[in-house]
Amino acid sequence: MNYADTIEKSLPPDLWSLITLLGEVGASQDQRLYLVGGRVRDLLLGIEGGDLDLVVEGDAMALARSLAGEHGGEVVSHPRFGTAKYRRGELTIDLASARTEVYSRPGALPLVRPGSIDKDLSRRDFTINSMAVCLSPPDKGNLLDPFDGRADLEARLIRVLHSKSFIDDATRIMRAIRYEQRLNFKIEDATRGYLLRDLSYLDTVGVDRLRHELQLFLEEGRPEGALLRADELGVLKAMHPSLKADGWTGEMFRKARSAAQVATPEVYLALLLYRISPEDALDLVKGYRYASDQVRIVSDLIKLKTLEKGLGAPGLKPRELYALLHGLAPEALTAFSLACESQRTRDIIVQYLDELRHVKTYLDGHKLKLLGVPQGPGMGRMLKALLDARLDGEVANREAEVALVKRWLAEGGPE
Ligand code: CTP
């Protein structure tokens, strides 16, 4: 089977022309161009989109330069050894040189050397990700499939290329789970055995890479699939002893998706940490070096739990609710509203998120000055009192606000 037409149909025509040209320039210099990795996998599965990973069996930088020399465009960067970014008009192409990798120790980033396309494919994670389609004549469109990836695609299996794969790079443990759940495949038996055997190698991978893999879980359409499977295989526990996912997690994630626009990775993470003790949740986000925004979401979530009783107090006025919740991260509020048990508390948080937090006064500092309010702390107190009056529905429009301010001025202040 020849895949040139299938690739052509999946790309904008001008990009396909450029790639065709690149393949031809490569062939004229005895450097073959290949499409590799996930895009080939998805192409064979009939899934559209995804990154265009192009590999040249030779020197990517030199090929990009000759393309620019012969046909215009420019080489805009070469961020790492062996890679090049080429741009012509609106189009950009990332190009990597085929390479072999040597792992100096488990979990270390590999040492990289130029190599053949076969070597390049054999350094990869799973058979289904280790196929290439040649883009240079005379083999243009031919599939290179040294590990029988196509057969595994048909059998719907995630299979490593060799028994030490997870030891070389334990992030592949999480990748295996992610692909399995996304594609509705199965991790092949021997691979599952290596995965379970090598769980302890997750410790050899830096926290930044593990956090990234967890983030990729949370960016999937239905992250609970990968999380539940990771729990079942002992991966979550290996990441942090208190991390777990179960039916409750799935139920919450589905609820988040059914509520419009709230199912973000940040909300999912907050839900995942909801049932963990405050100490462990903070230990986890700090240990995994989450950005300060995400740490704040988690500490706000913890704070919300301590506020739960107060939020349920009978006769709580809107201004009091506002004072309790103002400044807390919306993601924490959303996660809390989905996960907390009391329907009443849930309604209150939704009322705050949907209405109260958007309430604004008509009058601002500048307008108060025009009404004769002197600048200073008194003005700040007046603005706050105005907002409270507005939140509680005591004033509903501009005229009422102005009348209230005039009264306060006559009486010497809001208190
Ligand atoms: N790869 C690998 N081992 C890793 C990461 C990546 O072998 N730890 C290889 C795989 O061949 C993979 C390719 O690099 O297909 C590109 O990696 P990435 O962009 O992460 O994967 P995609 O397959 O494109 O997956 P996705 O659909 O999730 O973007």
Side-chain angles (χ1 to χ4, degrees), residues 363-364 367-373 382-383 385-386 395 398-414:
L363 295 172
D364 57 14
K367 293 190 180 103
L368 283 186
K369 223 167 106 185
L370 295 177
L371 285 170
V373 179
M382 205 176 265
L383 282 168
L386 257 186
V395 289
R398 175 187 147 186
E399 288 69 32
E401 282 189 25
V402 172
L404 189 59
V405 168
K406 286 190 173 159
R407 206 181 80 208
W408 284 338
L409 281 173
E411 292 172 358

Side-chain angles (χ1 to χ4, degrees), residues 36-39 41-42 50-51 53 101 103 121 123-126 128-131 169 171-172 175 178-179 182 209 212-213 216 220:
V36 294
R39 185 72 180 236
R41 173 197 74 220
D42 287 349
D51 292 343
D53 284 334
E101 285 178 354
Y103 290 85
L121 295 177
R123 74 179 170 82
R124 291 174 184 263
D125 50 5
F126 310 114
I128 60 165
N129 285 345
S130 304
M131 296 180 278
D169 177 1
T171 62
R172 290 174 175 168
R175 293 173 62 86
R178 182 155 55 85
Y179 291 122
R182 183 202 299 169
R209 293 183 68 210
H212 178 65
E213 291 299 327
L216 294 178
E220 290 287 320

